[in-house]
Amino acid sequence: MVKTSHLVASLILGFLSTTTVFSQSIRSITTKYQSADDFKTISSYFANGSDTGQRIINRSQENAWNGMYFIIEFTDRPETFSKKLSVLVDVLTPFSPKPKQYVFTLPSSDVFTWESYFGITGSDWPNPEVNPLAWKVSIKDFEGSLIAEKQSFLWE
């Protein structure tokens, strides 16, 4: 009896430690359609629109700001994970019957932020009224090792 309960306790602790590793990297993910005006700061008016403040922002189409953003809140500063990270956003939309993957790079930065914005912008997300049906976000280092992963309820 003792050996069985010890085995069960070990399995539970092993499972909890695995899920803890993932949950320590990503606190939450919010999806929100945003336009270019949502990113304007007072200083951007003086910097010809190029200042985004204390935010790390990546877009699928570099010249387009309007789109669906995945706002990832980390439990630790992103720069502490690695010099650079790869962020994979898999999303299922009404635009296509198959999921599409977008790959972003989270560069190392001296900017202190807990949140990073990953936008599917321009013609990649043409309709501001449409929300993602399901999504999965994976954070990997450049060796391909999975650091964290979070998905919506409907992904599976």
Side-chain angles (χ1 to χ4, degrees):
M1 182 69 157
V2 174
K3 288 183 180 182
T4 304
S5 63
H6 181 39
L7 177 63
V8 171
S10 296
L11 289 172
I12 291 171
L13 287 175
F15 174 74
L16 290 176
S17 66
T18 302
T19 56
T20 302
V21 169
F22 290 123
S23 66
Q24 286 179 351
S25 297
I26 298 174
R27 178 172 288 133
S28 67
I29 298 177
T30 306
T31 58
K32 181 180 179 185
Y33 189 89
Q34 295 191 280
S35 68
D37 289 340
D38 294 327
F39 294 100
K40 289 192 177 178
T41 63
I42 292 174
S43 59
S44 70
Y45 289 101
F46 299 107
N48 294 327
S50 60
D51 183 17
T52 58
Q54 295 287 317
R55 293 184 269 193
I56 296 172
I57 302 169
N58 287 278
R59 299 180 308 278
S60 63
Q61 294 182 7
E62 195 60 37
N63 294 327
W65 285 88
N66 296 345
M68 182 60 65
Y69 283 82
F70 289 76
I71 305 163
I72 301 174
E73 182 182 356
F74 295 96
T75 58
D76 199 1
R77 290 173 58 176
E79 17 334 328
T80 63
F81 294 133
S82 172
K83 295 231 181 242
K84 287 186 181 179
L85 296 175
S86 178
V87 179
L88 291 76
V89 177
D90 294 290
V91 63
L92 180 62
T93 69
F95 309 135
S96 171
K98 294 184 179 182
K100 180 147 183 178
Q101 184 175 80
Y102 297 89
V103 180
F104 301 94
T105 299
L106 182 61
S108 59
S109 171
D110 293 334
V111 175
F112 178 80
T113 182
W114 298 101
E115 290 182 336
S116 294
Y117 290 68
F118 300 92
I120 302 172
T121 58
S123 61
D124 291 337
W125 203 277
N127 189 338
E129 302 299 319
V130 173
N131 289 314
L133 299 175
W135 53 263
K136 178 177 76 170
V137 174
S138 305
I139 312 290
K140 295 184 177 185
D141 63 20
F142 271 86
E143 289 80 40
S145 299
L146 184 66
I147 294 174
E149 191 169 72
K150 196 168 187 94
Q151 63 191 32
S152 66
F153 176 73
L154 293 176
W155 181 253
E156 291 186 27

